Amino acid sequence: MSALQPGDREALHRVLHARRDVRSGFVDTPVDDERLQRVLAAAHTAPSVGFSQPWDFLVLRSPDIRDELAALAQEQRQEFAKSLPAARARAFAGLRVEAIREAPLGIVVTCDPTRDGRHVLGRRTQPRMAAHSVAGAVQNLWLAARAEGLGVGWVSFFDEREMAALLGRRVGMPQHLEVVAYL
Ligand SMILES: Cc1cc2nc3c(=O)[nH]c(=O)nc-3n(C[C@H](O)[C@H](O)[C@H](O)COP(=O)(O)O)c2cc1C
């Protein structure tokens, strides 16, 4: 395997260092399909246990569904705030933890723990490897989005079962899928 040319290597490191979790400053310009395809294609190049590629990406452009998801996240945010000591709760009140409505689209990244059947190399001994593979795909997506000038933030203020049920009702998400990330 040959090393990248110096300019390419530096570009890679610039992207790695420039990636940020973005929660503000979104504009409502739609993300065009070509850029989105490049970003999703980058996610698909991630390594995966037994090359099972257990991920799927649900692209949510509909503001209605994102409103419903934002309401779920808001409930969890309030629950978390209640659990904090007063000083931490005050600091948390001023913290931005999501931009579900402000972003022009959301991407739900799921893990199919059954992908490719029962005999996936490496997953039998360590089932969690499927979800770890999906986390790698998320990172690829995040970096490729940064290269495109698209802000991405990871929102984990969800009760996974509530979220999966909502996505099942609204977009038919199969219920054996696990939600790994909302971006
Ligand atoms: C698994 C995971 C879950 C995260 N969940 C949230 C979240 O719910 N809300 C949020 O504002 N940031 C979330 N973040 C972003 C982290 O806060 C952020 O990555 C960290 O502060 C470092 O900042 P950077 O990504 O800009 O380098 C999450 C990041 C990861 C990797």
Side-chain angles (χ1 to χ4, degrees):
M1 182 180 291
S2 57
L4 295 184
Q5 293 299 311
D8 294 343
R9 193 177 60 220
E10 282 150 19
L12 172 64
H13 283 272
R14 272 204 305 280
V15 177
L16 293 173
H17 286 282
R19 184 212 51 78
R20 288 278 76 78
D21 185 87
V22 178
R23 305 159 211 177
S24 59
F26 286 99
V27 289
D28 56 9
T29 320
V31 177
D32 65 85
D33 283 345
E34 256 179 48
R35 289 164 91 201
L36 186 58
Q37 286 298 332
R38 282 197 293 271
V39 169
L40 292 173
H44 282 285
T45 65
S48 58
V49 64
F51 198 29
S52 58
Q53 302 184 298
W55 44 71
D56 287 287
F57 302 89
L58 303 178
V59 177
L60 302 178
R61 293 188 191 268
S62 152
D64 294 353
I65 300 175
R66 289 187 291 117
D67 278 351
E68 289 179 44
L69 287 165
L72 290 186
Q74 181 60 20
E75 280 169 28
Q76 292 304 324
R77 179 187 177 127
Q78 283 163 358
E79 287 302 310
F80 180 63
K82 277 191 222 158
S83 75
L84 294 173
R88 288 282 309 274
R90 275 195 300 278
F92 179 61
L95 195 70
R96 183 113 213 214
V97 295
E98 52 91 3
I100 299 168
R101 291 190 181 91
E102 294 85 346
L105 58 84
I107 301 181
V108 177
V109 190
T110 60
C111 175
D112 182 348
T114 67
R115 182 73 43 89
D116 279 356
R118 294 176 55 208
H119 306 295
V120 170
L121 276 184
R123 197 182 65 199
R124 182 187 159 88
T125 34
Q126 297 202 42
R128 285 185 311 162
M129 292 302 154
H132 292 336
S133 305
V134 177
V138 170
Q139 178 75 347
N140 274 12
L141 183 157
W142 209 335
L143 293 168
R146 179 63 192 85
E148 298 281 348
L150 296 170
V152 171
W154 187 326
V155 186
S156 46
F157 276 76
F158 288 110
D159 174 304
E160 281 172 45
R161 285 151 308 173
E162 274 180 5
M163 190 188 198
L166 190 153
L167 293 169
R169 276 197 313 278
R170 300 290 264 110
V171 293
M173 187 186 97
Q175 293 297 290
H176 71 287
L177 300 185
E178 297 160 3
V179 175
V180 172
Y182 182 93
L183 306 172

